[in-house]
Amino acid sequence: MSTDLRFGWTTGACATAATTAAYTALLTGEFPDPVGIVLPKGQTPAFALAREELGEGFAAAFVVKDAGDDPDVTHGALVGSTVRRGEPGTGVVFRAGSGVGTVTKPGLPLEVGEPAINPVPRRMVREHVERVAREHGGSGDVVVEISVAHGEELARRTWNPRLGILGGLSILGTTGIVVPYSCSAWIDSIRRGVDVARAAGRTHVAGCTGSTSERVAAELHGLPEDALLDMGDFAGAVLKYLRRHPVPRLTVAGGIGKLSKLADGHLDLHSGRSQVDLGFLASLVGDAEVAARVRGANTALGALRVCQEVGVPLGDLVAARAKAVADGVLRGAPVAVDVVVIDRAGTVVGRAGHERQRSAE
């Protein structure tokens, strides 16, 4: 099915195209439309200009981001670049325009105070500025101001505020291409969340499947916001990144359904990519009669209720198995894991690993 999905372009690719068009117009008085660029892996897309402005000492070009068939928060956003001549020898200087955030916390691949324009998009912009300068006799010394219409509003639906990127969106992309449903931006945000927590000196982080489990983990452990990882369905992404970049303690928190899938060995907890196996849950229950009732339940929550009625601690059993899976993915990395299982109301119905955590404290 994925072969029928349409690829799209990252904000970094759009910013590069807008900058290329704007700098060309600054040097020649004419905007190329469409404007072609070269992506890091050699693809050569062309972008139609949605707006263009040419004034005294500046040129600005804007393109509409097309994320293809990916449910990207920035799909349809107007990405712009305003280019002005810079001081001799300064090269490309980046500025955050309207809707582009500024870095305020350490741990990201950019210095505090810098515009949130990631390293690969910066490299792409610099390369295209150099190319335009060669073709049209420019110096390549420019100030490039990237903007995203309504970016500050859109950023509230991303991880940016938690990562300390304030005032707008990040300009992202490593290939220039958005692969539909790859969820690469979410996974990258998980990694940056770990980086920010480590830079802040946090020794305990929590990977949570949703807002309710996040609230529970924060209350149980007194965790600040920058220690909370919006894991969503990507348990594997959290565990694999912590394996390479360890934090001493990790709490995994989530509902009985999603964590039963982790307990069963699934690292992607999305309903379209893994399913709750009631047979697996039944195998955790020692009593044959209760196990049969668990197999006949419709959902993991239904199975939990069956077990609660007869005093079988299914939540604890799921938590213990989920912890074992997490420990296996971590492969001996110095990360002590505990697991918290909740029901839909946010009540803790299972835990594993917390006794050791308490004794360590």
Side-chain angles (χ1 to χ4, degrees), residues 27-48:
L27 294 179
T28 68
E30 298 290 338
F31 289 88
D33 188 10
V35 56
I37 63 171
V38 180
L39 299 181
K41 293 187 177 181
Q43 300 95 333
T44 55
F47 295 77

Side-chain angles (χ1 to χ4, degrees), residues 59 61 87 140 149 156 165 270 353:
E87 294 295 322
R156 298 190 189 105
I165 298 171
H270 190 277

Side-chain angles (χ1 to χ4, degrees), residues 91-258:
V92 178
V93 176
F94 290 94
R95 296 281 184 264
S98 174
V100 171
T102 298
V103 176
T104 67
K105 289 183 180 181
L108 297 172
L110 299 167
E111 295 295 324
V112 171
E114 279 290 308
I117 304 167
N118 274 18
V120 172
R122 286 179 183 239
R123 188 180 76 230
M124 290 170 60
V125 167
R126 288 192 180 101
E127 290 172 350
H128 285 76
V129 164
E130 291 171 3
R131 189 188 77 185
V132 173
R134 288 195 303 270
E135 291 177 356
H136 301 291
S139 67
D141 298 316
V142 292
V143 177
V144 175
E145 182 180 287
I146 305 299
S147 63
V148 181
H150 309 294
E152 188 166 7
E153 177 185 343
L154 292 171
R156 298 190 189 105
R157 297 158 58 190
T158 73
W159 271 48
N160 277 16
R162 182 170 292 178
L163 295 176
I165 298 171
L166 302 183
L169 292 162
S170 302
I171 303 302
L172 302 173
T174 55
T175 65
I177 294 175
V178 175
V179 178
Y181 294 93
S182 68
C183 300
S184 58
W186 193 323
I187 292 171
D188 185 66
S189 293
I190 289 172
R191 294 168 179 165
R192 300 296 77 79
V194 172
D195 294 342
V196 167
R198 283 164 50 93
R202 305 301 178 200
T203 59
H204 186 180
V205 296
C208 307
T209 60
S211 58
T212 302
S213 57
E214 184 176 275
R215 174 181 56 77
V216 171
E219 291 174 355
L220 281 175
H221 296 294
L223 295 175
E225 186 179 54
D226 61 6
L228 302 174
L229 308 174
D230 187 6
M231 178 177 76
D233 295 316
F234 302 105
V238 170
L239 294 167
K240 291 173 185 177
Y241 197 69
L242 285 174
R243 185 172 70 210
R244 301 190 301 273
H245 307 275
V247 173
R249 292 181 58 182
L250 167 68
T251 294
V252 176
I256 182 72
K258 288 191 184 293

